[in-house]
Amino acid sequence: MAAPKFEVPKFQDNAVLDIPKIQEGAMSHMKSFVAGQAAQEYLGYPWELGEDWKERAIERMGEVLQKYRSVRVFLDACVHCGACTDKCHYYLGTADPKNMPVARQELMRKVYRRYFTFGGKYFPWLVGAEDLTQEVLEDWYNYYHECSECRRCSVFCPYGIDTAEITMAGREILNYVGMGQKYSNEILAKVQKIGNNLGLPGPALEDTLAGLEEDIEADIGVPVKLPLDVKGAEILLVTPSADFFSEPHVESLIGYAKVFHAAGVSWTLSSHASEAGNFGLFNGNYEMMRNVAMRIRDAALELGVKRIIVGECGHAWRVAYSYWNTLTGIGYGGDDPYAQMLQKQLDSRYPQPMHICEYTWDLIQQGVLKFDKSKNDHRVITFHDSCNVARASRMGNEPGGQFTIPRNIIRAVANNFYDMDADTIGESTYCCGGGGGLLTDDLMEVRVKGALPRMNAYNSVAQANGVNFLALICAICKAQFTKVFPYYGFDMSMVGGVHQLVSTAIELD
Amino acid sequence: MSALTVFYTGLFYFATLVFIGGVAYRIYEYSRTPAPLKIPTTPAPTTGSGVALRMAREVVLFESLFKSNKWIWIFGWMFHFGLLLVLLRHIRYFQEPVWFWVEFIQPFGMYASFMMVAGLAGLWARRFLVDRVRYISTPSDHLMLALLIGIGISGMMMTFVTHTDIVALKAFMRGLMYFDWQPLPGDAVLLAHLTMVALLMIIFPVSKLLHAPGIFFSPSRNQVDNPREHRHIAPWAAALEKDRA
Ligand code: HEM
Ligand code: HEM
Ligand code: SF4
Ligand code: SF4
């Protein structure tokens, strides 16, 4: 790790951080790289501000207001009560007041007021309305890329105002006038061109999987398979592409494969849908999110599978659970031809799609899986609720299943488990700091500082209970914490997946 | 009729028109704008009745606010609950005979005004004392609190210090309702009270007071968590489906 160019925040004694005093402009220097011509062109956006950027921005804002009730109601309803001001991990980590959720919304609200409301048109000074200037646009760019769209603010706002919705709208408008973000937009281009976010072509994927099969067999002496593009398989597994060759992600992929092996079920990955992630979510563009999601529908129909299961990834699970039915008809109740085809094909005894944790937990309850828990005894484990799973989706039949099911799995496969402070988990969980399209090196300062609330709570259980393993169910969380742990003096090997723990303890014959 | 009566008669018709028309238009606008995606903040209820209960807890108890900030919650709840009692107590100016329960709450309503003004004062203090809230406060936030405190104090003046002619006022109010206009008592405190009330009604549909209807339309609070079981699709999004098929 190179020496950081910024000061890494210090831990505090309490698991829950003190609220910092505001420091105006603390993060105003932070600007992630702007997307170049190639990516913008591929996505159908301009790549520089034209003469008429302002008119275009206002026009797009008007369209968003027509299409999204969330944006319209949220821009009107905020009373500036201040309840959300201390809820964002980026504010807690940076003290920049524009990282307070309400202030982040205000960047857009002041423009909305100016051009779309009576008060703002005639009495701008009174209601804090402002013209859209290049300065304001720069602020949008900076601060809408210092929001991980984690929805923590939405839990605590009396009207449920979700700053993520505003951030998404902001990024859509920015894209529309030619200020896209390099990292997210290059990924969006790759996933649509090649099939996954890493740009890993089909043959490379095949090689990787074959290599993994050899490794597993050498390791445990059991021929666990990682099938690709098998027509007529029972289950299609859609997982983030990082699972194929990033550490520690791949350990979880091995875990899923072992679970399927133990269950004796036929399953397959798809080279066409070799990515569960969907960065379309982050940019607030419905059509793009839909295009990316369509690959899953196409693959499911093509392969003729009966079930669709999603691997460990937070925002991917949000899109799968909350949006796939809407976007593609994967689920129940749709009546267009594709939805009908899917409903005929997919096994209606199961929810579609299903999370890998739901699947594994079902098998554990049925007694299908055998574990030697002591194999995880070198680990003292805590679990981080990923923001999109916690606050934008569910697992199982009961509200809150997204909290209990992963923990149940961990307790079934390991002996040492401790939760972090109650105010930092469950629906109040802090984002890892790298979600929502921020997982790029040019935003390292934001990522490290934004991780402070989570790291501080982790440090508390590490000190108090000797915790040495952070269990995760998200590809972005895994990548983020592996990078950020060293900044805070922890070893990156302390980070891994829930199915990595399953993989360690499972007994195969 | 005196010029004064004419002016206030006109003012109240105008204010009522703006208030009812404006709020109705906003509600129409909110209900017409689709919510294309399922975005309840989870864990969320999985049934419609569960959602109704969640909404009721938000509106009556300010549940989310309770989770997030005890000071704002206590001041905010004092203010709103006080306001509610005060407004219910005011029903007696508009009906004859007065409902039993409106009679019943009269004494509580009187003291609720203290709760209301104390709550407002607490909220206002936060706008000066807490640096984060100071940062986000606009002039209109301060003026809104000043206006409500002004209404509260002028009302309390009439209740506890300089009583006004309630019988004549009631005749004026009912006259407005039945288009049979009556003179308005001319004492300064009452006029101040009524002017500020009219102003509040006029700004309601163009201000943050839209939080009152807005909360019922908040997709993160009013949606059922059932996306796998039911397909949720907005009309403009369903049109995309046709393009592709
Ligand atoms: C459905 C009915 C309503 C609900 C659920 C509701 C809820 C809330 C909540 C939760 C807050 C934030 C906390 C606080 O500052 O008190 C708030 C603020 C506020 N409400 Fe309401 N409210 C409602 C109706 C009204 C009405 C009818 C008025 C006006 C006459 C009003 C005036 C205000 C004002 C001025 C604030 C901001 C206080 C400040 O500046 O801090 N509310 N409301
Ligand atoms: C057309 C509408 C209104 C009229 C005619 C009116 C009239 C009055 C009168 C005559 C009193 C004195 C009561 C007494 O002597 O016992 C009063 C008190 C009061 N008014 Fe109003 N008012 C109106 C609207 C409002 C509104 C919208 C609010 C709050 C936002 C409000 C807040 C108060 C308060 C706090 C008091 C003192 C407590 C009480 O006696 O209930 N008034 N009002
Ligand atoms: S969505 Fe998350 S990152 Fe964005 S403002 Fe809210 S709390 Fe902060
Ligand atoms: S909690 Fe909600 S209403 Fe209060 S300031 Fe934040 S966004 Fe606005």
Side-chain angles (χ1 to χ4, degrees):
Chain A
M1 188 183 86
K5 296 187 191 66
F6 52 89
E7 204 180 324
V8 178
K10 300 270 175 302
F11 286 137
Q12 297 175 8
D13 291 338
N14 293 327
V16 177
L17 293 171
D18 298 336
I19 306 164
K21 289 267 171 248
I22 61 172
Q23 289 169 30
E24 286 193 42
M27 293 301 280
S28 53
H29 59 281
M30 204 71 218
K31 181 172 177 183
S32 62
F33 297 144
V34 178
Q37 179 172 352
Q40 289 292 97
E41 207 164 28
Y42 185 82
L43 301 180
Y45 293 123
W47 51 92
E48 48 198 13
L49 295 186
E51 290 268 297
D52 59 343
W53 69 268
K54 197 159 130 185
E55 289 72 32
R56 278 174 65 82
I58 302 298
E59 173 199 304
R60 195 61 170 174
M61 192 177 216
E63 287 166 13
V64 169
L65 287 167
Q66 298 291 329
K67 282 181 159 182
Y68 290 89
R69 181 187 292 172
S70 53
V71 177
R72 183 176 281 279
V73 172
F74 293 165
L75 287 179
D76 275 347
C78 172
V79 296
H80 292 174
C81 71
C84 61
T85 51
D86 56 348
K87 300 300 184 280
C88 178
H89 49 290
Y90 293 114
Y91 175 70
L92 293 174
T94 68
D96 187 321
K98 286 182 182 158
N99 277 330
M100 302 189 298
V102 48
R104 200 186 308 287
Q105 300 157 25
E106 211 60 19
L107 296 175
M108 180 172 297
R109 188 175 287 117
K110 64 188 184 186
V111 176
Y112 163 72
R113 288 226 165 102
R114 185 74 181 103
Y115 297 92
F116 295 93
T117 71
F118 175 84
K121 275 180 194 157
Y122 302 104
F123 310 99
W125 48 273
L126 189 65
V127 296
E130 245 178 73
D131 284 331
L132 179 56
T133 60
Q134 197 144 354
E135 238 165 69
V136 172
L137 198 73
E138 292 285 334
D139 258 3
W140 282 21
Y141 189 85
N142 292 3
Y143 291 99
Y144 290 139
H145 293 100
E146 291 186 30
C147 168
S148 56
E149 305 175 346
C150 76
R151 315 192 88 198
R152 190 168 195 270
C153 43
S154 159
V155 170
F156 293 101
C157 170
Y159 321 115
I161 293 177
D162 180 5
T163 314
E165 294 288 311
I166 306 297
T167 294
M168 289 170 190
R171 291 188 191 174
E172 165 61 11
I173 299 170
L174 284 164
N175 267 317
Y176 192 73
V177 301
M179 274 178 85
Q181 187 215 23
K182 181 171 187 281
Y183 170 70
S184 296
N185 287 6
E186 286 183 355
I187 282 181
L188 274 166
K190 260 185 280 187
V191 72
Q192 293 180 78
K193 260 192 250 176
I194 302 168
N196 54 60
N197 290 355
L198 296 174
L200 192 68
L205 183 56
E206 216 175 311
D207 284 353
T208 310
L209 295 176
L212 280 176
E213 287 177 348
E214 282 168 27
D215 293 349
I216 302 173
E217 186 154 5
D219 187 26
I220 59 168
V222 181
V224 173
K225 295 294 167 210
L226 290 153
L228 182 66
D229 295 328
V230 178
K231 282 203 177 166
E234 168 96 7
I235 292 173
L236 168 64
L237 177 75
V238 184
T239 205
S241 57
D243 283 4
F244 299 128
F245 75 128
S246 297
E247 276 292 341
H249 306 62
V250 69
E251 305 296 336
S252 281
L253 176 65
I254 295 171
Y256 322 145
K258 288 181 180 172
V259 169
F260 290 132
H261 182 93
V265 69
S266 70
W267 69 287
T268 187
L269 293 156
S270 155
S271 51
H272 180 59
S274 50
E275 176 62 65
N278 188 335
F279 274 40
L281 168 74
F282 300 151
N283 281 2
N285 184 310
Y286 186 97
E287 286 83 354
M288 200 161 324
M289 179 160 76
R290 183 164 172 273
N291 280 344
V292 175
M294 279 305 171
R295 295 165 313 113
I296 318 296
R297 171 171 100 182
D298 297 344
L301 289 171
E302 156 92 21
L303 297 171
V305 295
K306 298 279 173 225
R307 304 177 66 176
I308 305 178
I309 293 183
V310 180
E312 293 176 355
C313 183
H315 84 282
W317 179 239
R318 174 181 189 175
V319 175
Y321 173 86
S322 296
Y323 304 158
W324 274 1
N325 199 359
T326 299
L327 298 170
T328 70
I330 297 172
Y332 298 99
D335 53 11
D336 70 281
Y338 283 102
Q340 291 290 321
M341 261 195 283
L342 284 161
Q343 284 169 49
K344 235 176 259 140
Q345 179 188 317
L346 297 173
D347 188 338
S348 63
R349 288 173 302 169
Y350 303 102
Q352 308 283 358
M354 214 167 165
H355 194 281
I356 186 71
C357 286
E358 291 179 304
Y359 180 75
T360 299
W361 178 235
D362 274 0
L363 293 177
I364 292 175
Q365 282 177 304
Q366 292 162 25
V368 175
L369 305 180
K370 308 258 173 306
F371 299 104
D372 177 358
K373 290 167 97 167
S374 67
K375 286 193 179 150
N376 272 316
D377 277 352
H378 58 297
R379 291 172 172 143
V380 185
I381 301 159
T382 193
F383 177 70
H384 163 75
D385 291 287
S386 297
C387 52
N388 275 303
V389 177
R391 292 184 283 259
S393 77
R394 171 158 56 96
M395 292 180 199
N397 297 323
E398 298 300 321
Q402 66 269 41
F403 309 133
T404 50
I405 288 176
R407 286 176 173 77
N408 289 345
I409 296 176
I410 296 173
R411 289 204 172 92
V413 304
N415 288 312
N416 312 315
F417 177 78
Y418 297 92
D419 255 324
M420 287 179 276
D421 189 279
D423 289 338
T424 73
I425 58 171
E427 69 171 359
S428 307
T429 189
Y430 284 107
C431 168
C432 64
L438 272 54
L439 192 71
T440 167
D441 284 352
D442 37 313
L443 287 173
M444 197 46 91
E445 182 178 350
V446 182
R447 289 168 54 188
V448 170
K449 291 182 173 173
L452 175 67
R454 171 45 76 230
M455 292 308 306
N456 198 62
Y458 179 82
N459 182 52
S460 287
V461 280
Q463 302 300 328
N465 308 103
V467 164
N468 62 13
F469 192 85
L470 181 63
L472 304 167
I473 47 170
C474 173
I476 290 179
C477 294
K478 289 171 193 168
Q480 158 77 350
F481 284 124
T482 349
K483 262 281 171 60
V484 164
F485 259 46
Y487 283 88
Y488 286 99
F490 290 107
D491 194 280
M492 61 187 250
S493 67
M494 293 177 161
V495 175
V498 167
H499 277 79
Q500 177 173 350
L501 301 173
V502 172
S503 173
T504 305
I506 197 166
E507 307 260 74
L508 300 180
D509 27 51
Chain B
M1 260 194 303
S2 67
L4 186 80
T5 302
V6 173
F7 175 76
Y8 277 90
T9 302
L11 180 65
F12 266 89
Y13 280 129
F14 176 69
T16 309
L17 216 67
V18 171
F19 175 69
I20 295 182
V23 173
Y25 179 72
R26 289 310 185 133
I27 290 177
Y28 164 74
E29 207 176 37
Y30 293 155
S31 60
R32 198 196 46 179
T33 312
L37 293 165
K38 276 282 194 181
I39 56 166
T41 312
T42 59
T46 53
T47 60
S49 48
V51 164
L53 200 69
R54 179 187 206 179
M55 189 59 83
R57 288 198 310 267
E58 289 295 351
V59 171
V60 179
L61 304 174
F62 299 179
E63 184 182 45
S64 297
L65 188 59
F66 184 79
K67 279 186 215 163
S68 77
N69 191 309
K70 297 293 186 285
W71 283 114
I72 307 180
W73 180 80
I74 206 152
F75 290 135
W77 201 80
M78 278 168 66
F79 156 50
H80 285 86
F81 192 67
L83 174 70
L84 179 71
L85 279 177
V86 164
L87 290 179
L88 292 176
R89 186 172 124 91
H90 277 65
I91 292 177
R92 75 183 192 284
Y93 302 135
F94 304 93
Q95 55 176 203
E96 189 60 57
V98 174
W99 287 326
F100 159 75
W101 62 268
V102 176
E103 293 280 11
F104 175 76
I105 58 165
Q106 291 303 318
F108 304 101
M110 262 166 74
Y111 296 102
S113 58
F114 288 98
M115 195 160 111
M116 170 180 150
V117 173
L120 285 165
L123 290 170
W124 206 355
R126 285 184 60 80
R127 296 209 179 274
F128 294 102
L129 299 179
V130 181
D131 64 335
R132 302 185 310 283
V133 187
R134 188 163 62 226
Y135 178 86
I136 58 169
S137 297
T138 60
S140 59
D141 294 325
H142 289 283
L143 289 175
M144 185 77 73
L145 290 166
L147 180 66
L148 282 162
I149 289 183
I151 294 176
I153 293 195
S154 57
M156 288 161 77
M157 291 272 291
M158 289 185 285
T159 311
F160 300 105
V161 189
T162 65
H163 299 284
T164 187
D165 182 349
I166 300 280
V167 176
L169 173 73
K170 184 160 175 171
F172 172 79
M173 280 297 159
R174 290 179 56 81
L176 289 177
M177 286 162 65
Y178 296 104
F179 303 99
D180 169 22
W181 300 306
Q182 303 295 325
L184 176 69
D187 52 300
V189 186
L190 176 64
L191 296 185
H193 192 67
L194 294 186
T195 311
M196 287 186 284
V197 168
L199 190 61
L200 183 76
M201 290 165 75
I202 291 167
I203 61 175
F204 201 102
V206 292
S207 70
K208 66 177 187 178
L209 295 178
L210 288 170
H211 68 282
I215 184 169
F216 298 99
F217 290 94
S218 171
S220 57
R221 291 288 182 271
N222 76 6
Q223 288 186 340
V224 181
D225 175 19
N226 61 359
R228 288 191 287 197
E229 293 78 19
H230 292 276
R231 190 177 201 190
H232 173 93
I233 191 158
W236 63 260
L240 298 176
E241 220 63 50
K242 295 214 180 58
D243 297 348
R244 185 160 167 129

